[in-house]
Amino acid sequence: MLSQHPPRLDRRISGLNDRWRFPREPYLGDLLGLSQLSRATGVDIDNELKIMDRLHIPQLQKILTGAIKTKPKHGTVADVTLDCMGFKWELHQPQLFHSGTLTKLYIFALSQKNTDPLKELEKLLRAESPKEQPKMSPVKKITISLKINDPLVTKTAFATALKSLYTNETEVHMEDVLGVLASANILQFPTLFKKCVSLMKDGISPCTIQTYYLAACKYKEELLITACEKWLEMNLVPLIGKQIYLRTVPQELLQKVLKSHRLFTFSEFDLLKTTLYWVYLQLNLRLQSIPIYEAVLAFFNSFPKKCPFLERELGQKFLPVFHCLRLHGITKSKDLEDIKYINFFPEARIVRILANHYRSLESGGDMFHVKDLSTQAIRFGLLINQTLKIETVGNPIFVTFAFLFPVS
């Protein structure tokens, strides 16, 4: 019986030298090996470079940025001009290769000229070696163009992103972080993109939750999406629910949070009140402050009684939000009277809630209709403010601590 051996990695020589290349592997950025292979086989490399999808830009970036580590000296003439957003940005080749997009544009621009792009890149690598220090740029000055359609990108943010190509210590201001994130995404600059995500995770607040969440969804950044969801789970009822910024919470995000078993709320009825406030603010966009609760009740009670609000054309789009609520957790008679008063829910749902409460009372308080703990458990929490007195040499210092305890 023949023994099976693992497949061997065959290699072949590129040209009349000792440059070995694996025949089954694609081009991995070995410029010298590829150039020798083209001369040995007679392949036109210019045609290969014009097909940008065949270029392994990340590997090429790694080689170029690893071989070129020098920073441009003060007064060094830029050798690349980037035409973008109505400005001419002067850049240097070594720093340009940190961006995947700019690397593609640069190689494409080389391929459009009558020169051999591989030879030009080889000149650059040889010129940056410690043995040779040329007085002039090894490659002729090239102009590349980039068109940006992302409305989040501003000129200030794009300038910050280009500055980050030269140093890792570039300061990103919080008012520009969204634009810098968008610029890093367009430039394919992962280091700067991760830095912006980290800043945004630490800067989530009532006034930024909407823009940060929408940006995270747009660029498919799961870490930032999760951070926004966790922040809102703890702050929906006690913080943002009392501010006008409640209006800005996207419906998709609100539905996710309302389904969460980690959601903090003082009671299920407090969660219902917050959701009613959210709907009220969606329908009254001119309001600049949170109204009193009685005004919200009066607003929904003002609609004709023949049809509950959620069954009207105006309220049907909010129906998925209220399906996420656990109304069976509202047991106080005063709260149930408010629900009935505003004529908000279909009558059948209110009757079902009251009927289940009646059966629970007959059974000694057991809720037999509640079977799924993860989706039907009643949520409530405690907010504990504790003040500690710390004795010092001078006057005593009082420190207040606040604790949130979500329970379900």
Side-chain angles (χ1 to χ4, degrees):
M1 186 174 179
L2 297 177
S3 59
Q4 295 182 353
H5 296 283
R8 299 178 59 184
L9 294 176
D10 298 327
R11 300 188 300 175
R12 68 185 180 193
I13 297 178
S14 297
L16 302 177
N17 51 47
D18 59 351
R19 299 289 295 185
W20 290 93
R21 298 182 72 250
F22 293 106
R24 296 179 182 177
E25 283 193 2
Y27 166 56
L28 297 178
D30 185 359
L31 302 178
L32 182 59
L34 184 59
S35 178
Q36 293 169 349
L37 177 64
S38 66
R39 288 192 291 269
T41 60
V43 177
D44 187 359
I45 299 300
D46 286 343
N47 293 333
E48 294 293 320
L49 285 175
K50 290 178 182 178
I51 304 176
M52 302 304 295
D53 291 339
R54 295 188 184 181
L55 286 174
H56 291 253
I57 296 299
Q59 292 89 339
L60 184 59
Q61 280 183 268
K62 185 177 180 180
I63 292 175
L64 292 174
T65 55
I68 307 173
K69 298 182 179 179
T70 59
K71 294 184 178 181
K73 298 180 180 179
H74 181 69
T76 304
V77 179
D79 38 26
V80 179
T81 300
L82 173 62
D83 186 2
C84 182
M85 302 184 73
F87 283 88
K88 303 286 186 180
W89 311 87
E90 300 292 335
L91 303 175
H92 299 80
Q93 291 167 337
Q95 285 65 41
L96 174 143
F97 294 125
H98 289 288
S99 165
T101 300
L102 298 183
T103 302
K104 292 178 182 178
L105 293 175
Y106 181 77
I107 296 176
F108 183 77
L110 286 179
S111 66
Q112 296 301 305
K113 292 182 175 293
N114 296 325
T115 58
D116 184 351
L118 288 176
K119 291 182 179 179
E120 297 295 333
L121 290 176
E122 287 177 16
K123 285 182 183 179
L124 176 62
L125 291 175
R126 287 197 301 268
E128 295 293 340
S129 63
K131 296 181 180 180
E132 300 182 34
Q133 295 295 336
K135 296 181 181 180
M136 299 180 62
S137 177
V139 182
K140 297 180 180 180
K141 191 168 185 178
I142 290 180
T143 299
I144 57 179
S145 299
L146 176 63
K147 185 177 180 180
I148 297 179
N149 297 321
D150 194 332
L152 294 178
V153 179
T154 63
K155 294 178 181 178
T156 302
F158 191 72
T160 302
L162 293 180
K163 182 179 179 182
S164 300
L165 295 173
Y166 289 79
T167 175
N168 295 328
E169 300 177 356
T170 302
E171 183 180 1
V172 179
H173 300 286
M174 292 307 298
E175 59 269 19
D176 298 325
V177 68
L178 204 59
V180 177
L181 178 80
S183 302
N185 178 73
I186 291 175
L187 293 174
Q188 297 181 14
F189 192 1
T191 304
L192 180 61
F193 190 87
K194 292 178 181 178
K195 179 179 180 179
C196 292
V197 169
S198 179
L199 290 174
M200 293 168 72
K201 287 172 61 178
D202 296 335
I204 299 175
S205 66
C207 60
T208 61
I209 181 69
Q210 178 197 29
T211 54
Y212 286 6
Y213 177 76
L214 294 179
C217 293
K218 179 178 181 179
Y219 303 120
K220 299 179 181 180
E221 182 53 45
E222 294 296 333
L223 291 178
L224 186 55
I225 292 176
T226 303
C228 291
E229 292 175 358
K230 289 184 176 180
W231 183 91
L232 194 60
E233 287 171 356
M234 298 302 296
N235 295 280
L236 176 62
V237 175
L239 180 60
I240 196 173
K242 301 177 181 179
Q243 301 181 19
I244 196 64
Y245 295 111
L246 177 64
R247 173 192 290 147
T248 65
V249 177
Q251 181 170 338
E252 177 189 359
L253 176 59
L254 182 63
Q255 290 178 212
K256 286 183 181 180
V257 171
L258 291 177
K259 294 178 182 179
S260 174
H261 65 277
R262 299 184 301 268
L263 172 61
F264 174 84
T265 180
F266 301 108
S267 67
E268 291 292 341
F269 184 69
D270 286 290
L271 200 56
L272 172 61
K273 288 171 60 176
T274 302
T275 311
L276 290 174
Y277 270 111
W278 180 81
V279 175
Y280 180 82
L281 293 174
Q282 301 301 311
L283 301 176
N284 298 273
L285 299 177
R286 295 183 179 181
L287 284 179
Q288 298 299 320
S289 62
I290 289 286
I292 60 176
Y293 178 58
E294 288 73 16
V296 177
L297 295 180
F299 172 78
F300 290 114
N301 188 50
S302 64
F303 289 91
K305 303 297 182 183
K306 60 181 180 180
C307 180
F309 178 81
L310 289 180
E311 291 185 349
R312 296 179 178 276
E313 183 178 357
L314 182 64
Q316 287 180 356
K317 61 182 178 181
F318 302 117
L319 195 57
V321 175
F322 288 90
H323 280 318
C324 302
L325 296 178
R326 305 174 186 182
L327 298 181
H328 60 272
I330 301 175
T331 57
K332 292 183 180 180
S333 59
K334 173 67 168 59
D335 299 339
L336 293 172
E337 286 294 332
D338 287 346
I339 294 177
K340 185 178 180 181
Y341 168 75
I342 61 177
N343 192 31
F344 193 87
F345 296 95
E347 185 178 359
R349 188 173 183 183
I350 297 177
V351 171
R352 185 168 62 251
I353 293 171
L354 296 176
N356 288 332
H357 286 347
Y358 181 77
R359 294 192 187 96
S360 297
L361 290 174
E362 285 187 330
S363 306
D366 294 332
M367 292 183 172
F368 291 106
H369 62 282
V370 177
K371 299 179 181 180
D372 189 353
L373 186 64
S374 61
T375 60
Q376 294 180 304
I378 299 176
R379 297 164 294 189
F380 65 93
L382 302 174
L383 176 58
I384 301 176
N385 290 316
Q386 184 177 2
T387 302
L388 299 180
K389 182 179 179 181
I390 302 177
E391 297 292 343
T392 60
V393 178
N395 297 326
I397 300 176
F398 294 89
V399 182
T400 301
F401 298 90
F403 304 92
L404 294 176
F405 295 97
V407 183
S408 59

